[in-house]
Amino acid sequence: MDSQINEMYLKRLAIMEIKKMVSDRTILKHGVNLRKLHNHITSGQAENVGDLDWVNEPFEFIKDKVESMPGRKSQTLGMSAQQSYYFSILVAIRARNFKDYETVPLYAEIWNYIQGDFGKDLSKYKKSKDNVSLPDYDKVKELINDYQGHGDQLDLKLILKIYETYPFRLEVAELVFIPTMRAFNALKTKEGNFLVKSRNKYLFSFNNYKTGDTYGERRINITNKDLTLLLKDKTKEMVSGQELFPGLTRNNLSMKITNFFKERDLPDMSPTVMAKLIIQEAYRNMGPELKETQERLAKERGHSIQTQLEIYLIE
Protein backbone atom coordinates (compact mmCIF):
# COMPACT_ATOMS: atom_id res chain seq x y z
CA MET A 1 0.00 0.00 0.00
CA ASP A 2 2.78 2.42 0.88
CA SER A 3 4.40 1.91 -2.53
CA GLN A 4 1.09 2.69 -4.24
CA ILE A 5 0.71 5.89 -2.23
CA ASN A 6 4.30 6.79 -3.11
CA GLU A 7 3.59 6.18 -6.80
CA MET A 8 0.53 8.41 -6.64
CA TYR A 9 2.57 11.29 -5.23
CA LEU A 10 5.27 10.74 -7.88
CA LYS A 11 2.60 11.08 -10.57
CA ARG A 12 1.39 14.31 -8.99
CA LEU A 13 4.95 15.57 -8.91
CA ALA A 14 5.45 14.65 -12.58
CA ILE A 15 2.45 16.73 -13.67
CA MET A 16 3.50 19.53 -11.29
CA GLU A 17 0.46 19.31 -9.03
CA ILE A 18 2.91 19.42 -6.15
CA LYS A 19 6.25 21.21 -6.05
CA LYS A 20 8.08 18.75 -3.82
CA MET A 21 7.79 15.06 -3.07
CA VAL A 22 6.24 14.34 0.29
CA SER A 23 8.38 12.72 2.96
CA ASP A 24 8.59 8.98 3.61
CA ARG A 25 7.11 9.75 7.02
CA THR A 26 3.97 11.21 5.42
CA ILE A 27 3.53 8.18 3.18
CA LEU A 28 4.01 5.85 6.12
CA LYS A 29 1.43 7.77 8.17
CA HIS A 30 -1.19 7.52 5.43
CA GLY A 31 -0.55 3.79 5.10
CA VAL A 32 -0.89 3.24 8.85
CA ASN A 33 -4.11 5.25 8.98
CA LEU A 34 -5.68 3.39 6.09
CA ARG A 35 -4.79 -0.06 7.40
CA LYS A 36 -6.17 0.79 10.84
CA LEU A 37 -9.36 2.23 9.40
CA HIS A 38 -9.81 -0.76 7.10
CA ASN A 39 -9.49 -3.12 10.05
CA HIS A 40 -11.95 -1.02 12.04
CA ILE A 41 -14.50 -1.14 9.21
CA THR A 42 -14.06 -4.74 7.99
CA SER A 43 -12.12 -6.52 10.78
CA GLY A 44 -9.76 -7.58 8.01
CA GLN A 45 -6.34 -6.63 6.73
CA ALA A 46 -5.58 -4.46 3.69
CA GLU A 47 -2.47 -5.07 1.59
CA ASN A 48 -3.08 -2.49 -1.11
CA VAL A 49 -5.39 0.41 -1.92
CA GLY A 50 -7.48 -1.87 -4.11
CA ASP A 51 -8.70 -3.59 -0.96
CA LEU A 52 -10.28 -0.38 0.34
CA ASP A 53 -13.68 -0.86 -1.28
CA TRP A 54 -15.34 1.04 1.54
CA VAL A 55 -14.38 4.29 -0.23
CA ASN A 56 -17.58 3.66 -2.24
CA GLU A 57 -19.71 3.73 0.91
CA PRO A 58 -21.85 6.80 1.77
CA PHE A 59 -20.15 9.66 3.56
CA GLU A 60 -22.23 9.30 6.72
CA PHE A 61 -21.11 5.67 7.02
CA ILE A 62 -17.43 6.66 6.76
CA LYS A 63 -17.90 9.61 9.11
CA ASP A 64 -19.40 7.29 11.72
CA LYS A 65 -16.50 4.87 11.36
CA VAL A 66 -13.87 7.60 11.71
CA GLU A 67 -15.58 9.08 14.76
CA SER A 68 -15.79 5.66 16.41
CA MET A 69 -12.12 4.81 15.88
CA PRO A 70 -10.36 4.19 19.22
CA GLY A 71 -7.84 6.84 20.24
CA ARG A 72 -4.49 6.36 21.94
CA LYS A 73 -5.50 8.11 25.16
CA SER A 74 -9.28 8.04 24.90
CA GLN A 75 -12.09 5.83 23.67
CA THR A 76 -12.39 7.73 20.40
CA LEU A 77 -10.19 9.89 18.20
CA GLY A 78 -9.68 13.56 18.88
CA MET A 79 -10.56 16.02 16.15
CA SER A 80 -6.98 16.46 14.96
CA ALA A 81 -6.61 12.70 14.55
CA GLN A 82 -9.93 12.54 12.72
CA GLN A 83 -8.66 15.15 10.29
CA SER A 84 -5.56 13.02 9.67
CA TYR A 85 -7.76 10.02 8.81
CA TYR A 86 -9.92 12.07 6.47
CA PHE A 87 -6.85 13.26 4.57
CA SER A 88 -5.64 9.66 4.33
CA ILE A 89 -8.97 8.63 2.81
CA LEU A 90 -8.56 11.34 0.16
CA VAL A 91 -5.10 9.98 -0.54
CA ALA A 92 -6.49 6.45 -0.89
CA ILE A 93 -9.14 7.58 -3.37
CA ARG A 94 -6.53 9.41 -5.43
CA ALA A 95 -4.24 6.35 -5.40
CA ARG A 96 -7.14 4.13 -6.56
CA ASN A 97 -8.52 6.55 -9.15
CA PHE A 98 -5.69 8.85 -10.11
CA LYS A 99 -7.35 10.55 -13.09
CA ASP A 100 -11.04 10.34 -12.23
CA TYR A 101 -10.86 10.63 -8.43
CA GLU A 102 -13.32 13.52 -8.46
CA THR A 103 -16.02 11.19 -9.78
CA VAL A 104 -15.93 9.30 -6.49
CA PRO A 105 -18.70 10.98 -4.40
CA LEU A 106 -16.86 10.40 -1.12
CA TYR A 107 -13.91 12.52 -2.26
CA ALA A 108 -15.92 15.72 -2.70
CA GLU A 109 -18.01 15.06 0.40
CA ILE A 110 -14.97 14.62 2.65
CA TRP A 111 -13.22 17.62 1.11
CA ASN A 112 -16.23 19.87 1.63
CA TYR A 113 -16.67 18.57 5.18
CA ILE A 114 -13.09 19.23 6.34
CA GLN A 115 -13.07 22.62 4.64
CA GLY A 116 -16.45 23.57 6.05
CA ASP A 117 -18.12 22.76 9.36
CA PHE A 118 -15.50 20.29 10.53
CA GLY A 119 -12.69 22.74 9.79
CA LYS A 120 -14.41 25.47 11.79
CA ASP A 121 -15.06 23.11 14.71
CA LEU A 122 -11.45 21.91 14.62
CA SER A 123 -10.18 25.48 14.81
CA LYS A 124 -12.37 26.16 17.86
CA TYR A 125 -11.28 22.86 19.40
CA LYS A 126 -7.60 23.70 19.05
CA LYS A 127 -8.09 27.11 20.61
CA SER A 128 -10.06 25.69 23.55
CA LYS A 129 -7.50 22.91 23.98
CA ASP A 130 -4.72 25.46 24.16
CA ASN A 131 -6.59 27.57 26.69
CA VAL A 132 -5.36 25.55 29.66
CA SER A 133 -3.01 26.18 32.54
CA LEU A 134 0.61 25.61 31.55
CA PRO A 135 3.55 24.78 33.83
CA ASP A 136 5.61 27.57 35.30
CA TYR A 137 8.32 28.49 32.80
CA ASP A 138 10.91 29.17 35.50
CA LYS A 139 10.24 25.73 37.01
CA VAL A 140 10.79 24.08 33.64
CA LYS A 141 14.06 25.97 33.15
CA GLU A 142 15.21 25.03 36.63
CA LEU A 143 14.61 21.32 36.00
CA ILE A 144 16.56 21.46 32.75
CA ASN A 145 19.45 23.47 34.17
CA ASP A 146 19.73 21.21 37.22
CA TYR A 147 19.93 18.11 35.06
CA GLN A 148 23.59 17.19 34.61
CA GLY A 149 23.23 14.68 31.78
CA HIS A 150 26.63 13.05 32.09
CA GLY A 151 27.83 10.22 29.87
CA ASP A 152 25.09 8.56 27.86
CA GLN A 153 22.60 11.19 29.02
CA LEU A 154 24.46 14.07 27.38
CA ASP A 155 22.14 13.79 24.38
CA LEU A 156 19.08 14.28 26.57
CA LYS A 157 20.66 17.32 28.22
CA LEU A 158 21.36 18.77 24.78
CA ILE A 159 17.84 18.03 23.53
CA LEU A 160 16.28 19.65 26.58
CA LYS A 161 18.46 22.73 26.17
CA ILE A 162 17.47 23.06 22.52
CA TYR A 163 13.78 22.91 23.40
CA GLU A 164 14.23 25.29 26.31
CA THR A 165 15.74 27.78 23.87
CA TYR A 166 13.73 27.38 20.66
CA PRO A 167 10.04 26.63 19.86
CA PHE A 168 10.96 23.81 17.49
CA ARG A 169 8.86 20.90 16.33
CA LEU A 170 10.37 17.40 16.14
CA GLU A 171 12.70 17.95 13.18
CA VAL A 172 15.57 18.22 15.68
CA ALA A 173 15.64 14.40 15.75
CA GLU A 174 17.02 14.36 12.20
CA LEU A 175 19.85 16.87 12.52
CA VAL A 176 23.01 16.02 10.56
CA PHE A 177 26.32 17.61 11.54
CA ILE A 178 28.32 19.64 9.00
CA PRO A 179 31.67 20.87 10.40
CA THR A 180 32.22 23.97 8.22
CA MET A 181 30.19 26.52 6.31
CA ARG A 182 32.21 25.71 3.22
CA ALA A 183 31.21 22.04 3.43
CA PHE A 184 27.59 23.04 3.96
CA ASN A 185 27.56 25.33 0.91
CA ALA A 186 29.13 22.53 -1.15
CA LEU A 187 26.26 20.10 -0.44
CA LYS A 188 24.49 19.11 -3.65
CA THR A 189 21.16 18.94 -1.88
CA LYS A 190 19.93 20.57 1.30
CA GLU A 191 16.68 18.66 1.72
CA GLY A 192 17.50 17.51 5.25
CA ASN A 193 18.01 19.23 8.61
CA PHE A 194 21.50 20.29 9.60
CA LEU A 195 23.62 21.57 12.45
CA VAL A 196 26.39 23.60 10.86
CA LYS A 197 29.56 24.74 12.60
CA SER A 198 30.88 28.06 11.35
CA ARG A 199 34.21 28.74 13.05
CA ASN A 200 33.33 28.71 16.75
CA LYS A 201 29.63 29.27 16.23
CA TYR A 202 26.74 27.07 15.16
CA LEU A 203 23.55 27.40 13.16
CA PHE A 204 20.53 25.25 12.38
CA SER A 205 19.34 24.76 8.81
CA PHE A 206 15.88 23.16 8.72
CA ASN A 207 14.54 22.11 5.33
CA ASN A 208 12.51 18.97 6.03
CA TYR A 209 9.71 20.11 8.34
CA LYS A 210 5.94 20.36 8.41
CA THR A 211 5.56 23.68 6.60
CA GLY A 212 8.80 23.50 4.59
CA ASP A 213 7.03 23.78 1.24
CA THR A 214 5.63 27.14 2.32
CA TYR A 215 8.55 28.70 4.18
CA GLY A 216 11.62 27.00 2.70
CA GLU A 217 14.89 26.85 4.62
CA ARG A 218 14.83 28.06 8.22
CA ARG A 219 18.38 29.13 9.03
CA ILE A 220 18.78 30.02 12.68
CA ASN A 221 21.98 31.27 14.28
CA ILE A 222 22.63 29.86 17.74
CA THR A 223 23.48 32.60 20.22
CA ASN A 224 22.74 30.88 23.54
CA LYS A 225 26.11 30.38 25.26
CA ASP A 226 25.10 27.33 27.31
CA LEU A 227 23.69 25.61 24.23
CA THR A 228 26.82 26.44 22.26
CA LEU A 229 29.03 24.84 24.92
CA LEU A 230 26.91 21.68 24.87
CA LEU A 231 27.14 21.54 21.09
CA LYS A 232 30.93 21.95 21.18
CA ASP A 233 31.19 19.06 23.60
CA LYS A 234 28.87 16.92 21.49
CA THR A 235 30.50 17.59 18.12
CA LYS A 236 34.19 17.70 19.05
CA GLU A 237 34.82 14.22 17.61
CA MET A 238 32.02 14.13 15.03
CA VAL A 239 32.62 13.93 11.28
CA SER A 240 30.72 15.53 8.44
CA GLY A 241 27.42 13.87 7.63
CA GLN A 242 27.09 12.18 11.01
CA GLU A 243 23.69 12.22 12.72
CA LEU A 244 23.65 14.43 15.79
CA PHE A 245 21.37 11.95 17.56
CA PRO A 246 21.93 8.54 15.90
CA GLY A 247 18.87 6.33 15.74
CA LEU A 248 16.54 8.95 17.19
CA THR A 249 13.10 9.31 15.61
CA ARG A 250 10.68 12.18 15.94
CA ASN A 251 8.35 10.04 18.02
CA ASN A 252 11.16 8.90 20.34
CA LEU A 253 12.31 12.49 20.73
CA SER A 254 8.88 13.58 21.90
CA MET A 255 8.71 10.65 24.33
CA LYS A 256 12.14 11.48 25.80
CA ILE A 257 11.04 15.02 26.62
CA THR A 258 7.64 13.91 27.96
CA ASN A 259 9.16 11.18 30.13
CA PHE A 260 11.82 13.52 31.54
CA PHE A 261 9.19 15.89 32.91
CA LYS A 262 6.77 13.13 33.87
CA GLU A 263 9.45 11.67 36.16
CA ARG A 264 9.69 15.12 37.77
CA ASP A 265 5.97 15.52 38.43
CA LEU A 266 5.21 17.59 35.34
CA PRO A 267 2.99 15.29 33.26
CA ASP A 268 1.77 16.10 29.75
CA MET A 269 4.86 18.13 28.90
CA SER A 270 5.87 17.87 25.24
CA PRO A 271 7.81 19.84 22.62
CA THR A 272 4.55 21.60 21.74
CA VAL A 273 4.00 22.68 25.35
CA MET A 274 7.65 23.82 25.49
CA ALA A 275 7.04 25.93 22.40
CA LYS A 276 4.00 27.56 23.98
CA LEU A 277 5.97 28.38 27.12
CA ILE A 278 8.77 29.98 25.09
CA ILE A 279 6.39 32.02 22.95
CA GLN A 280 4.30 33.16 25.90
CA GLU A 281 7.40 34.14 27.87
CA ALA A 282 8.66 36.16 24.93
CA TYR A 283 5.35 37.99 24.61
CA ARG A 284 5.30 38.74 28.33
CA ASN A 285 8.68 40.42 28.03
CA MET A 286 8.00 42.11 24.73
CA GLY A 287 8.86 45.76 24.28
CA PRO A 288 8.88 48.07 21.28
CA GLU A 289 10.65 45.40 19.23
CA LEU A 290 7.32 43.53 18.93
CA LYS A 291 7.43 42.99 15.17
CA GLU A 292 11.01 41.72 15.18
CA THR A 293 10.28 39.26 18.00
CA GLN A 294 7.10 38.04 16.32
CA GLU A 295 8.97 37.36 13.10
CA ARG A 296 11.81 35.57 14.90
CA LEU A 297 9.48 33.26 16.83
CA ALA A 298 7.41 32.49 13.74
CA LYS A 299 10.57 31.71 11.77
CA GLU A 300 11.95 29.44 14.48
CA ARG A 301 8.65 27.58 14.74
CA GLY A 302 8.04 27.51 10.99
CA HIS A 303 4.58 29.04 10.82
CA SER A 304 2.89 32.38 10.14
CA ILE A 305 2.50 35.19 12.66
CA GLN A 306 -1.28 34.75 12.36
CA THR A 307 -0.98 31.10 13.44
CA GLN A 308 1.25 32.22 16.28
CA LEU A 309 -1.37 34.65 17.53
CA GLU A 310 -4.33 32.31 17.10
CA ILE A 311 -2.86 29.10 18.48
CA TYR A 312 0.17 29.80 20.67
CA LEU A 313 -0.56 33.11 22.39
CA ILE A 314 -2.83 32.32 25.31
CA GLU A 315 -4.17 35.00 27.60
Side-chain angles (χ1 to χ4, degrees), residues 5-258:
I5 295 172
N6 184 71
E7 183 180 353
M8 180 274 291
Y9 276 114
L10 287 173
K11 288 180 181 178
R12 294 187 64 193
L13 186 66
I15 61 176
M16 294 184 288
E17 273 191 4
I18 54 176
K19 296 180 180 179
K20 180 181 177 182
M21 186 60 180
V22 300
S23 68
D24 292 341
R25 185 180 62 259
T26 296
I27 293 171
L28 177 63
K29 180 62 176 176
H30 285 311
V32 169
N33 282 352
L34 293 170
R35 285 187 284 270
K36 285 184 176 179
L37 184 57
H38 182 81
N39 181 257
H40 181 61
I41 293 173
T42 70
S43 299
Q45 305 300 317
E47 296 183 1
N48 58 71
V49 294
D51 296 331
L52 310 179
D53 290 334
W54 42 261
V55 299
N56 295 312
E57 295 287 348
F59 169 69
E60 288 301 326
F61 172 84
I62 298 299
K63 179 173 176 286
D64 177 71
K65 293 299 181 182
V66 170
E67 291 178 351
S68 62
M69 281 283 293
R72 287 186 300 175
K73 297 182 179 180
S74 58
Q75 290 185 333
T76 56
L77 295 176
M79 293 194 69
S80 295
Q82 289 181 38
Q83 182 189 51
S84 175
Y85 274 85
Y86 285 128
F87 278 126
S88 294
I89 296 170
L90 296 180
V91 165
I93 295 173
R94 191 69 195 274
R96 285 168 57 97
N97 309 74
F98 185 76
K99 292 183 178 180
D100 57 350
Y101 65 96
E102 290 180 312
T103 65
V104 179
L106 185 63
Y107 190 94
E109 290 172 314
I110 287 180
W111 181 256
N112 291 334
Y113 179 61
I114 61 179
Q115 295 296 319
D117 293 341
F118 180 85
K120 294 176 183 177
D121 290 342
L122 178 60
S123 179
K124 293 178 182 177
Y125 166 76
K126 287 183 175 180
K127 290 178 182 178
S128 65
K129 186 178 177 182
D130 287 325
N131 192 20
V132 296
S133 177
L134 294 177
D136 180 70
Y137 182 62
D138 290 335
K139 175 64 175 178
V140 170
K141 288 184 65 175
E142 180 182 349
L143 289 173
I144 293 174
N145 292 332
D146 288 347
Y147 180 64
Q148 296 303 309
H150 294 305
D152 294 340
Q153 298 304 314
L154 176 61
D155 280 0
L156 180 55
K157 174 71 174 179
L158 177 55
I159 288 168
L160 292 168
K161 194 64 183 179
I162 290 173
Y163 281 93
E164 178 203 327
T165 309
Y166 298 105
F168 291 155
R169 292 186 177 89
L170 300 176
E171 51 266 30
V172 169
E174 300 161 357
L175 285 169
V176 172
F177 177 62
I178 306 295
T180 66
M181 200 67 199
R182 182 176 180 180
F184 178 67
N185 291 332
L187 291 176
K188 292 182 180 180
T189 177
K190 295 186 176 67
E191 294 181 355
N193 300 317
F194 304 93
L195 172 72
V196 184
K197 185 176 182 181
S198 179
R199 298 183 180 178
N200 289 320
K201 297 182 180 180
Y202 293 84
L203 64 86
F204 293 117
S205 172
F206 291 112
N207 305 272
N208 179 18
Y209 62 99
K210 183 177 180 180
T211 51
D213 288 342
T214 301
Y215 297 102
E217 182 194 21
R218 285 157 50 214
R219 186 174 296 191
I220 298 161
N221 293 316
I222 299 170
T223 58
N224 184 284
K225 293 181 180 179
D226 292 335
L227 177 55
T228 299
L229 289 174
L230 287 172
L231 288 170
K232 285 182 178 180
D233 191 25
K234 172 67 178 178
T235 62
K236 60 185 177 184
E237 296 182 0
M238 291 184 66
V239 298
S240 184
Q242 187 174 347
E243 294 178 353
L244 192 65
F245 305 112
L248 189 65
T249 66
R250 296 190 182 201
N251 186 53
N252 289 342
L253 170 58
S254 182
M255 290 176 62
K256 279 181 178 290
I257 292 175
T258 299

Side-chain angles (χ1 to χ4, degrees), residues 296-314:
R296 175 180 63 79
L297 290 169
K299 175 184 175 183
E300 290 174 353
R301 181 66 174 166
H303 60 200
S304 68
I305 291 176
Q306 184 63 30
T307 297
Q308 182 185 90
L309 292 172
E310 290 180 353
I311 304 299
Y312 293 93
L313 182 58
I314 305 165

